[in-house]
Coordinates of all heavy atoms in Angstrom, one line a residue:
M1 N 67.1 63.3 -4.8 CA 66.2 62.4 -5.4 C 64.8 62.6 -5.0 O 64.5 62.7 -3.8 CB 66.6 60.9 -5.0 CG 65.6 59.9 -5.4 SD 65.7 58.3 -4.7 CE 67.4 57.9 -4.6
K2 N 63.9 62.9 -5.9 CA 62.5 63.1 -5.6 C 61.9 61.8 -5.2 O 62.0 60.8 -5.9 CB 61.8 63.7 -6.8 CG 60.3 64.1 -6.5 CD 59.5 64.5 -7.7 CE 60.0 65.8 -8.2 NZ 59.2 66.3 -9.3
L3 N 61.2 61.8 -4.0 CA 60.6 60.6 -3.5 C 59.1 60.6 -3.9 O 58.6 59.5 -4.4 CB 60.6 60.6 -2.0 CG 62.0 60.3 -1.3 CD1 61.8 60.4 0.2 CD2 62.5 59.0 -1.7
H4 N 58.4 61.7 -3.7 CA 57.0 61.7 -3.9 C 56.5 63.1 -3.8 O 57.4 64.0 -3.7 CB 56.3 60.8 -2.9 CG 54.9 60.3 -3.3 ND1 54.7 59.8 -4.5 CD2 53.8 60.3 -2.6 CE1 53.4 59.5 -4.6 NE2 52.8 59.8 -3.4
Y5 N 55.3 63.3 -3.8 CA 54.7 64.7 -3.6 C 53.5 64.6 -2.6 O 52.9 63.6 -2.5 CB 54.4 65.4 -4.9 CG 53.3 64.7 -5.7 CD1 52.0 65.1 -5.5 CD2 53.6 63.7 -6.6 CE1 51.0 64.5 -6.3 CE2 52.7 63.1 -7.3 CZ 51.3 63.5 -7.2 OH 50.4 62.8 -7.9
L6 N 53.3 65.7 -2.0 CA 52.1 65.8 -1.1 C 51.0 66.5 -1.9 O 51.2 67.6 -2.4 CB 52.4 66.6 0.2 CG 53.4 66.0 1.1 CD1 53.8 67.0 2.2 CD2 52.9 64.7 1.7
S7 N 49.9 65.9 -2.0 CA 48.8 66.5 -2.7 C 47.6 67.0 -1.8 O 46.7 67.7 -2.2 CB 48.2 65.6 -3.8 OG 47.7 64.4 -3.2
R8 N 47.8 66.6 -0.5 CA 46.8 67.0 0.5 C 47.5 67.1 1.9 O 48.3 66.2 2.2 CB 45.7 66.0 0.6 CG 44.5 66.4 1.3 CD 43.4 65.3 1.4 NE 43.2 65.2 2.8 CZ 43.0 64.0 3.4 NH1 43.1 62.9 2.8 NH2 42.8 64.0 4.7
V9 N 47.2 68.2 2.6 CA 47.7 68.3 4.0 C 46.6 68.7 4.9 O 45.6 69.3 4.5 CB 48.9 69.3 4.1 CG1 50.1 68.9 3.3 CG2 48.4 70.7 3.6
Q10 N 46.8 68.4 6.2 CA 45.7 68.6 7.1 C 46.3 69.2 8.4 O 47.4 68.7 8.9 CB 45.0 67.3 7.5 CG 43.9 67.5 8.5 CD 43.1 66.2 8.7 OE1 43.2 65.2 7.9 NE2 42.4 66.1 9.8
E11 N 45.7 70.2 8.9 CA 46.2 70.8 10.2 C 45.8 70.0 11.4 O 44.7 69.4 11.3 CB 45.6 72.2 10.4 CG 46.1 73.3 9.4 CD 45.2 73.3 8.1 OE1 44.2 72.5 8.0 OE2 45.6 74.0 7.2
S12 N 46.7 69.9 12.4 CA 46.3 69.3 13.6 C 45.7 70.3 14.5 O 46.1 71.5 14.4 CB 47.4 68.5 14.3 OG 48.5 69.5 14.6
L13 N 44.8 70.0 15.4 CA 44.2 71.0 16.3 C 45.1 71.5 17.3 O 45.1 72.7 17.5 CB 42.9 70.3 16.9 CG 41.8 69.9 16.0 CD1 40.7 69.3 16.7 CD2 41.3 71.1 15.2
G14 N 46.0 70.7 17.9 CA 46.9 71.2 18.8 C 46.3 72.0 20.0 O 45.1 71.8 20.3
I15 N 47.1 72.9 20.6 CA 46.6 73.7 21.7 C 46.4 75.1 21.4 O 46.0 75.9 22.3 CB 47.5 73.5 23.0 CG1 48.9 73.9 22.6 CG2 47.4 72.0 23.4 CD1 49.8 73.9 23.8
A16 N 46.8 75.6 20.2 CA 46.8 77.0 19.9 C 45.4 77.5 19.7 O 44.5 76.8 19.2 CB 47.6 77.3 18.7
A17 N 45.1 78.7 20.1 CA 43.8 79.3 20.0 C 43.5 79.5 18.5 O 42.4 79.4 18.0 CB 43.7 80.6 20.7
A18 N 44.5 79.9 17.7 CA 44.4 80.1 16.3 C 45.5 79.3 15.6 O 46.5 79.9 15.3 CB 44.5 81.6 15.9
P19 N 45.2 78.1 15.3 CA 46.3 77.2 14.7 C 46.6 77.7 13.3 O 45.9 78.4 12.6 CB 45.6 75.8 14.6 CG 44.2 76.1 14.7 CD 44.0 77.3 15.4
A20 N 47.9 77.3 12.9 CA 48.3 77.6 11.5 C 47.4 76.9 10.5 O 46.8 75.9 10.8 CB 49.8 77.1 11.4
R21 N 47.3 77.6 9.3 CA 46.5 77.0 8.3 C 47.4 76.8 7.0 O 48.0 77.8 6.5 CB 45.4 77.9 7.9 CG 44.5 77.4 6.8 CD 43.4 78.4 6.5 NE 43.9 79.6 5.7 CZ 44.0 79.6 4.4 NH1 43.8 78.5 3.7 NH2 44.5 80.7 3.8
F22 N 47.6 75.5 6.6 CA 48.3 75.3 5.4 C 47.6 75.8 4.2 O 46.4 75.7 4.1 CB 48.6 73.8 5.2 CG 49.5 73.2 6.2 CD1 49.1 72.2 7.1 CD2 50.8 73.6 6.3 CE1 49.9 71.7 8.1 CE2 51.7 73.0 7.2 CZ 51.2 72.1 8.1
L23 N 48.3 76.4 3.2 CA 47.7 76.9 2.0 C 47.6 75.8 1.0 O 48.5 75.5 0.3 CB 48.5 78.1 1.5 CG 48.7 79.2 2.5 CD1 49.5 80.3 1.9 CD2 47.3 79.8 3.0
Q24 N 46.4 75.2 0.9 CA 46.1 74.1 0.0 C 46.3 74.5 -1.5 O 46.7 73.7 -2.3 CB 44.6 73.7 0.2 CG 44.3 73.3 1.6 CD 44.9 72.0 2.0 OE1 45.2 71.1 1.2 NE2 45.2 71.8 3.3
E25 N 46.2 75.8 -1.8 CA 46.3 76.2 -3.2 C 47.8 76.2 -3.7 O 48.0 76.3 -4.8 CB 45.7 77.6 -3.4 CG 46.3 78.7 -2.5 CD 45.6 78.8 -1.1 OE1 44.8 77.9 -0.7 OE2 45.9 79.9 -0.5
T26 N 48.7 76.0 -2.7 CA 50.1 75.9 -3.1 C 50.6 74.4 -3.4 O 51.7 74.2 -3.7 CB 51.1 76.5 -2.1 OG1 51.0 75.8 -0.9 CG2 50.7 78.0 -1.9
L27 N 49.7 73.5 -3.2 CA 50.0 72.1 -3.4 C 50.1 71.8 -4.9 O 49.5 72.5 -5.7 CB 48.9 71.2 -2.7 CG 48.9 71.3 -1.2 CD1 47.6 70.6 -0.7 CD2 50.1 70.7 -0.6
P28 N 50.8 70.8 -5.4 CA 51.5 69.8 -4.5 C 52.9 70.3 -4.1 O 53.5 71.1 -4.7 CB 51.7 68.6 -5.5 CG 51.9 69.3 -6.9 CD 50.9 70.5 -6.8
W29 N 53.3 69.8 -2.9 CA 54.6 70.0 -2.4 C 55.5 68.8 -2.7 O 55.0 67.6 -2.5 CB 54.6 70.3 -0.9 CG 53.8 71.4 -0.5 CD1 53.4 72.5 -1.2 CD2 53.2 71.7 0.8 NE1 52.6 73.4 -0.5 CE2 52.5 72.9 0.8 CE3 53.2 71.0 2.0 CZ2 51.8 73.4 1.9 CZ3 52.6 71.5 3.1 CH2 51.9 72.7 3.0
H30 N 56.7 68.9 -3.1 CA 57.5 67.8 -3.5 C 58.4 67.4 -2.3 O 58.8 68.2 -1.5 CB 58.4 68.2 -4.7 CG 57.6 68.5 -5.9 ND1 57.2 67.5 -6.7 CD2 57.2 69.7 -6.4 CE1 56.5 68.1 -7.7 NE2 56.5 69.4 -7.5
I31 N 58.6 66.1 -2.2 CA 59.4 65.5 -1.1 C 60.7 64.9 -1.7 O 60.6 64.2 -2.7 CB 58.7 64.4 -0.4 CG1 57.4 64.9 0.2 CG2 59.5 63.8 0.7 CD1 56.5 63.8 0.7
T32 N 61.9 65.3 -1.2 CA 63.1 64.7 -1.7 C 63.9 64.0 -0.6 O 63.7 64.4 0.6 CB 64.0 65.8 -2.4 OG1 64.3 66.8 -1.4 CG2 63.4 66.3 -3.6
Y33 N 64.6 63.0 -0.9 CA 65.4 62.2 0.1 C 66.6 63.0 0.6 O 67.2 63.7 -0.2 CB 65.8 60.9 -0.6 CG 66.8 60.1 0.2 CD1 66.3 59.3 1.3 CD2 68.1 60.1 0.0 CE1 67.2 58.5 2.0 CE2 69.0 59.3 0.7 CZ 68.5 58.6 1.7 OH 69.4 57.8 2.5
A34 N 66.8 63.0 1.9 CA 68.0 63.7 2.4 C 68.9 62.8 3.2 O 70.0 63.3 3.6 CB 67.5 64.8 3.3
G35 N 68.6 61.6 3.5 CA 69.5 60.7 4.3 C 68.7 59.9 5.3 O 67.5 59.9 5.3
F36 N 69.5 59.1 6.1 CA 68.8 58.3 7.1 C 69.8 58.1 8.3 O 70.9 58.4 8.2 CB 68.4 56.9 6.5 CG 69.6 56.0 6.2 CD1 70.2 55.1 7.1 CD2 70.2 56.1 4.9 CE1 71.3 54.3 6.7 CE2 71.2 55.3 4.5 CZ 71.8 54.4 5.5
T37 N 69.2 57.7 9.4 CA 70.0 57.4 10.6 C 69.9 55.9 10.9 O 68.9 55.2 10.5 CB 69.5 58.1 11.8 OG1 68.1 57.8 12.1 CG2 69.6 59.6 11.7
G38 N 70.9 55.3 11.5 CA 71.0 53.9 11.7 C 72.0 53.3 10.7 O 72.7 54.0 10.0
T39 N 72.1 52.0 10.7 CA 72.9 51.3 9.8 C 72.1 50.3 9.1 O 71.2 49.7 9.6 CB 74.1 50.6 10.5 OG1 73.6 49.7 11.5 CG2 75.0 51.6 11.2
L40 N 72.5 50.1 7.8 CA 71.7 49.1 7.0 C 72.0 47.7 7.6 O 73.1 47.4 8.0 CB 72.2 49.1 5.6 CG 71.8 50.4 4.8 CD1 72.5 50.4 3.4 CD2 70.3 50.5 4.7
P41 N 71.0 46.8 7.7 CA 69.6 47.0 7.2 C 68.7 47.6 8.2 O 67.5 47.6 8.0 CB 69.2 45.6 6.8 CG 69.9 44.8 7.8 CD 71.2 45.5 8.1
D42 N 69.2 48.1 9.3 CA 68.3 48.6 10.4 C 68.3 50.1 10.4 O 68.9 50.8 11.2 CB 68.9 48.1 11.8 CG 68.9 46.6 11.9 OD1 67.9 46.0 11.5 OD2 69.9 46.0 12.3
I43 N 67.4 50.6 9.5 CA 67.2 52.1 9.4 C 66.3 52.5 10.5 O 65.2 52.0 10.7 CB 66.7 52.4 8.0 CG1 67.7 52.1 7.0 CG2 66.3 53.9 8.0 CD1 67.2 52.3 5.6
L44 N 66.7 53.5 11.3 CA 65.9 54.0 12.4 C 65.0 55.1 12.0 O 63.9 55.2 12.5 CB 66.9 54.5 13.5 CG 67.8 53.5 14.2 CD1 68.7 54.2 15.1 CD2 67.0 52.4 14.8
S45 N 65.4 56.0 11.1 CA 64.6 57.1 10.6 C 65.1 57.5 9.3 O 66.3 57.3 9.0 CB 64.5 58.2 11.6 OG 65.7 58.9 11.7
M46 N 64.3 58.2 8.5 CA 64.7 58.7 7.2 C 64.5 60.2 7.3 O 63.5 60.7 7.8 CB 63.8 58.1 6.1 CG 64.2 58.6 4.7 SD 63.1 58.0 3.5 CE 61.8 59.3 3.6
R47 N 65.4 61.0 6.7 CA 65.3 62.4 6.6 C 64.9 62.8 5.2 O 65.4 62.2 4.2 CB 66.7 63.1 6.9 CG 67.0 62.9 8.4 CD 68.3 63.7 8.8 NE 69.4 63.5 7.9 CZ 70.3 62.4 8.0 NH1 70.1 61.5 8.9 NH2 71.3 62.3 7.1
A48 N 64.0 63.7 5.1 CA 63.5 64.2 3.8 C 63.3 65.7 3.9 O 63.4 66.3 4.9 CB 62.2 63.5 3.5
R49 N 63.2 66.3 2.7 CA 62.9 67.7 2.6 C 61.7 67.9 1.8 O 61.4 67.3 0.8 CB 64.1 68.5 2.0 CG 65.4 68.3 2.8 CD 66.5 69.1 2.4 NE 66.5 70.5 2.9 CZ 66.7 70.9 4.1 NH1 66.8 70.1 5.1 NH2 66.6 72.2 4.4
V50 N 60.8 68.9 2.3 CA 59.6 69.2 1.7 C 59.7 70.5 1.0 O 60.1 71.5 1.7 CB 58.4 69.2 2.7 CG1 57.1 69.5 2.0 CG2 58.3 67.8 3.4
H51 N 59.5 70.6 -0.3 CA 59.6 71.8 -1.1 C 58.3 72.4 -1.4 O 57.4 71.8 -1.9 CB 60.4 71.5 -2.4 CG 61.7 70.8 -2.2 ND1 62.9 71.4 -2.0 CD2 61.9 69.5 -2.0 CE1 63.8 70.6 -1.8 NE2 63.3 69.4 -1.8
G52 N 58.2 73.7 -1.1 CA 57.0 74.5 -1.5 C 56.0 74.8 -0.3 O 54.9 75.2 -0.6
V53 N 56.4 74.5 0.9 CA 55.5 74.7 2.1 C 55.1 76.2 2.2 O 55.9 77.1 2.1 CB 56.2 74.2 3.4 CG1 55.4 74.5 4.6 CG2 56.5 72.7 3.3
S54 N 53.8 76.4 2.4 CA 53.2 77.7 2.6 C 52.1 77.6 3.6 O 51.3 76.6 3.6 CB 52.6 78.3 1.3 OG 53.6 78.4 0.4
Y55 N 52.1 78.5 4.6 CA 51.0 78.5 5.6 C 50.8 79.9 6.2 O 51.7 80.7 6.1 CB 51.3 77.5 6.7 CG 52.6 77.7 7.5 CD1 52.5 78.4 8.7 CD2 53.8 77.3 7.1 CE1 53.6 78.6 9.5 CE2 55.0 77.5 7.8 CZ 54.9 78.2 9.0 OH 56.0 78.4 9.8
E56 N 49.7 80.0 6.9 CA 49.4 81.3 7.6 C 49.4 80.9 9.1 O 49.0 79.8 9.5 CB 48.0 81.8 7.3 CG 47.8 82.3 5.9 CD 46.4 82.8 5.7 OE1 45.5 82.3 6.3 OE2 46.3 83.8 4.9
D57 N 49.8 81.9 9.9 CA 49.9 81.7 11.3 C 49.6 83.0 12.0 O 49.7 84.1 11.4 CB 51.2 81.1 11.8 CG 51.1 80.3 13.1 OD1 50.0 80.4 13.8 OD2 52.1 79.7 13.5
T58 N 49.3 83.0 13.3 CA 49.1 84.2 14.0 C 50.3 84.4 15.0 O 50.6 83.6 15.8 CB 47.8 84.1 14.8 OG1 46.7 83.9 13.9 CG2 47.5 85.4 15.6
L59 N 50.9 85.6 14.8 CA 52.0 86.0 15.7 C 51.7 87.4 16.3 O 51.4 88.3 15.5 CB 53.3 86.0 15.0 CG 53.8 84.7 14.4 CD1 55.0 84.9 13.5 CD2 54.1 83.7 15.5
A60 N 51.7 87.5 17.6 CA 51.4 88.8 18.2 C 50.1 89.4 17.7 O 50.1 90.6 17.3 CB 52.6 89.8 18.0
N61 N 49.1 88.6 17.6 CA 47.8 89.0 17.2 C 47.7 89.5 15.7 O 46.8 90.3 15.3 CB 47.2 90.1 18.1 CG 46.9 89.6 19.5 OD1 46.5 88.4 19.6 ND2 47.2 90.3 20.5
M62 N 48.7 89.1 14.9 CA 48.7 89.5 13.5 C 48.7 88.2 12.7 O 49.5 87.3 13.0 CB 49.9 90.3 13.1 CG 49.9 91.7 13.8 SD 51.2 92.8 13.2 CE 52.6 91.7 13.1
R63 N 47.9 88.1 11.6 CA 48.0 87.0 10.7 C 49.2 87.2 9.8 O 49.4 88.2 9.2 CB 46.7 86.9 9.8 CG 45.5 86.4 10.4 CD 45.7 85.0 11.1 NE 45.4 83.9 10.2 CZ 45.5 82.6 10.6 NH1 45.9 82.4 11.8 NH2 45.3 81.7 9.8
C64 N 50.1 86.1 9.7 CA 51.3 86.2 8.9 C 51.3 85.1 7.9 O 50.9 84.0 8.2 CB 52.5 86.1 9.8 SG 52.6 87.4 11.1
L65 N 51.8 85.4 6.7 CA 52.0 84.4 5.7 C 53.4 83.9 5.6 O 54.3 84.8 5.6 CB 51.6 85.1 4.3 CG 51.8 84.2 3.1 CD1 51.0 83.0 3.1 CD2 51.6 85.0 1.8
F66 N 53.6 82.6 5.6 CA 55.0 82.0 5.6 C 55.0 81.2 4.3 O 54.2 80.3 4.1 CB 55.2 81.1 6.8 CG 55.3 81.9 8.1 CD1 54.1 82.1 8.8 CD2 56.5 82.4 8.5 CE1 54.1 82.8 10.0 CE2 56.5 83.1 9.7 CZ 55.3 83.3 10.5
R67 N 56.0 81.6 3.4 CA 56.2 80.9 2.2 C 57.6 80.5 2.1 O 58.5 81.3 2.3 CB 55.8 81.7 1.0 CG 54.3 82.0 1.0 CD 53.8 82.5 -0.3 NE 53.7 81.3 -1.1 CZ 53.0 81.3 -2.2 NH1 52.3 82.3 -2.6 NH2 53.0 80.2 -3.0
E68 N 57.9 79.3 1.7 CA 59.2 78.8 1.5 C 59.9 79.5 0.3 O 59.2 79.6 -0.8 CB 59.2 77.3 1.3 CG 60.5 76.7 1.0 CD 60.3 75.2 0.7 OE1 59.8 74.9 -0.4 OE2 60.6 74.4 1.6
K69 N 61.1 79.8 0.4 CA 61.9 80.4 -0.7 C 62.2 79.3 -1.7 O 62.4 78.2 -1.3 CB 63.1 81.1 -0.3 CG 62.9 82.3 0.5 CD 64.2 83.0 0.9 CE 64.0 84.3 1.7 NZ 65.2 85.0 1.9
K70 N 62.4 79.7 -3.0 CA 62.7 78.7 -4.0 C 64.0 77.9 -3.7 O 64.2 76.8 -4.0 CB 62.9 79.4 -5.4 CG 61.6 79.9 -5.9 CD 61.0 79.0 -6.9 CE 59.7 79.6 -7.5 NZ 58.7 78.7 -7.9
C71 N 65.0 78.6 -3.1 CA 66.3 78.0 -2.8 C 66.4 77.2 -1.5 O 67.4 76.7 -1.2 CB 67.4 79.0 -2.9 SG 67.2 80.3 -1.6
R72 N 65.3 77.2 -0.8 CA 65.3 76.5 0.5 C 64.2 75.4 0.5 O 63.3 75.4 -0.3 CB 65.1 77.4 1.7 CG 66.2 78.5 1.7 CD 66.0 79.3 3.0 NE 67.1 80.2 3.0 CZ 68.1 80.2 4.0 NH1 68.1 79.3 4.9 NH2 69.0 81.1 3.9
S73 N 64.3 74.5 1.5 CA 63.2 73.5 1.7 C 63.0 73.3 3.2 O 63.9 73.6 4.0 CB 63.6 72.2 1.0 OG 64.8 71.7 1.4
T74 N 61.9 72.7 3.5 CA 61.6 72.4 4.9 C 62.0 71.0 5.3 O 61.6 70.0 4.7 CB 60.1 72.6 5.1 OG1 59.7 73.9 4.7 CG2 59.7 72.4 6.6
P75 N 62.9 70.9 6.3 CA 63.4 69.5 6.7 C 62.3 68.8 7.5 O 61.5 69.4 8.2 CB 64.6 69.8 7.6 CG 64.4 71.1 8.1 CD 63.6 71.9 7.1
C76 N 62.3 67.4 7.4 CA 61.4 66.6 8.2 C 62.1 65.3 8.4 O 63.0 64.9 7.7 CB 60.1 66.4 7.5 SG 60.1 65.5 6.0
S77 N 61.7 64.6 9.5 CA 62.2 63.3 9.8 C 61.1 62.3 9.9 O 60.0 62.6 10.6 CB 63.0 63.4 11.1 OG 63.5 62.1 11.5
L78 N 61.2 61.2 9.3 CA 60.2 60.1 9.4 C 60.7 58.9 10.1 O 61.8 58.5 9.8 CB 59.8 59.7 7.9 CG 59.5 60.9 7.0 CD1 59.4 60.4 5.6 CD2 58.1 61.5 7.4
S79 N 60.0 58.4 11.1 CA 60.4 57.2 11.8 C 59.2 56.3 12.1 O 58.1 56.8 12.2 CB 61.2 57.6 13.1 OG 60.3 58.3 13.9
E80 N 59.5 55.0 12.2 CA 58.4 54.1 12.5 C 58.2 54.1 14.0 O 59.1 54.1 14.8 CB 58.9 52.7 12.0 CG 57.8 51.7 12.2 CD 58.2 50.3 11.7 OE1 59.4 50.1 11.5 OE2 57.4 49.5 11.5
Q81 N 56.9 54.1 14.4 CA 56.6 54.1 15.8 C 56.4 52.6 16.3 O 55.8 51.8 15.6 CB 55.3 54.8 16.1 CG 55.4 56.3 15.7 CD 56.3 57.1 16.7 OE1 56.3 56.8 17.9 NE2 57.1 58.0 16.1
A82 N 56.9 52.3 17.5 CA 56.7 50.9 18.0 C 55.2 50.7 18.3 O 54.6 51.6 18.8 CB 57.6 50.7 19.2
A83 N 54.8 49.5 18.0 CA 53.4 49.2 18.3 C 53.1 48.9 19.8 O 53.9 48.6 20.5 CB 52.9 48.0 17.4

């Protein structure tokens, strides 16, 4: 089930000297529902898959392009943080 789509992504600075760079030109990326943990009505987290992820990263001093294959998707987990 398609949930939504990502039309903008932003890299976090992190600790890497040359952080990965998301390829904005490949947007939008689609998000589909994959399941949840917990029991209703107390859902602890939701699992989703992001389709179309593409980014550049540096490995062994070489710039590498990573693109998701059409038949695969990138898993992610979403959970609410306690205040």
Side-chain angles (χ1 to χ4, degrees):
M1 168 194 324
K2 187 186 290 186
L3 292 175
H4 203 46
Y5 62 93
L6 295 171
S7 59
R8 192 181 126 222
V9 293
Q10 179 177 343
E11 295 85 6
S12 62
L13 296 177
I15 59 171
R21 181 181 75 83
F22 291 116
L23 301 178
Q24 303 289 329
E25 57 273 14
T26 64
L27 294 169
W29 301 339
H30 297 275
I31 304 170
T32 55
Y33 173 78
F36 68 90
T37 59
T39 56
L40 292 173
D42 298 315
I43 295 175
L44 300 175
S45 68
M46 184 186 83
R47 291 185 311 277
R49 299 191 79 71
V50 181
H51 305 269
V53 174
S54 297
Y55 64 96
E56 288 181 333
D57 202 354
T58 302
L59 298 173
N61 294 321
M62 294 186 318
R63 282 307 270 178
C64 301
L65 174 63
F66 295 89
R67 295 197 74 160
E68 174 187 77
K69 292 183 178 184
K70 293 262 185 209
C71 61
R72 298 190 181 243
S73 58
T74 304
C76 67
S77 180
L78 311 166
S79 60
E80 184 177 16
Q81 298 293 322

